[in-house]
Amino acid sequence: MRDPSDYNVRAVERALQILECFDDRHPERGVSEISEEIGLHKATTHRILTTLMNYGYIERAADGQKYCLGLRLSELGFKVVRRMNLRKEALPLIQQMLDQLGETCDLCVYDHGRVFYLDVLQSRHAVTVAATPGQRLPMHCTASGKLFLAYLPADVVSQALDVKLTGYTPKTITSLEQLHQQMEVVRQQGYSVDDQEFEIGLWAASAPILNQRGEILAAVSVLSPTSRITPERSQEIIQALTETTRLISRRFGRT
């Protein structure tokens, strides 16, 4: 039987070697540094870098001379998250939280500047919240959206907020300065809240599922009509929510 590596395409191997030479110690590299690192001719290195740039996998660094990994890689990473065992690990615990609280719960991920609902577990109340899997919601005015903005890398957040912040209700934050202030609060407390910022009469809280490096994989939210929310009830929901996401995060290596 032939060695599987016999089927490798040399040009693809070189492109992968270039991508893998970037790490925490070397987030930015120049052409000469890359070619020396992987033992490739400088002109060939430059051609491959240009191709990777054209597809968004490599970007120019701030100085305009060096290179860094591109946002396209983050998008691929989130696609992997969506097909991994996230549902298998998260849904049983989310179902337990639904049984405890009796409110609609959802599991969502970040997707191209929007919040994407992977799963929605509906409340059994007569008055409930309309939410469906596959639905995409804005970032700046939803509990899960603000959570992603607080935890995602700065370059991803900058791209996600490079749009007009639409005012959906009188409570919607449409100021970037105010939004960044709230993102800092979210980071400090470990959860976010949407009190009628996206839809009048809707309250929601969201907390992150984190991996072992503290990076956000997904968000879990609890949604309720404001008619059922009191200060005591909101604290009950937030406590159950943060405990649930902490348990799920432990399954992904978070201690």
Side-chain angles (χ1 to χ4, degrees), residues 146-152 178-193 206-208 210 214 238 242 254:
K146 291 188 294 182
L147 189 77
F148 283 116
L149 291 175
Y151 280 87
L152 285 171
Q178 291 180 4
L179 186 59
H180 278 284
Q181 290 173 355
Q182 189 162 119
M183 288 157 56
E184 181 58 33
V185 172
V186 170
R187 280 189 287 268
Q188 292 176 4
Q189 64 190 16
Y191 64 87
S192 63
V193 172
S206 186
L210 304 173
I238 289 168
T242 53
R254 184 68 172 169

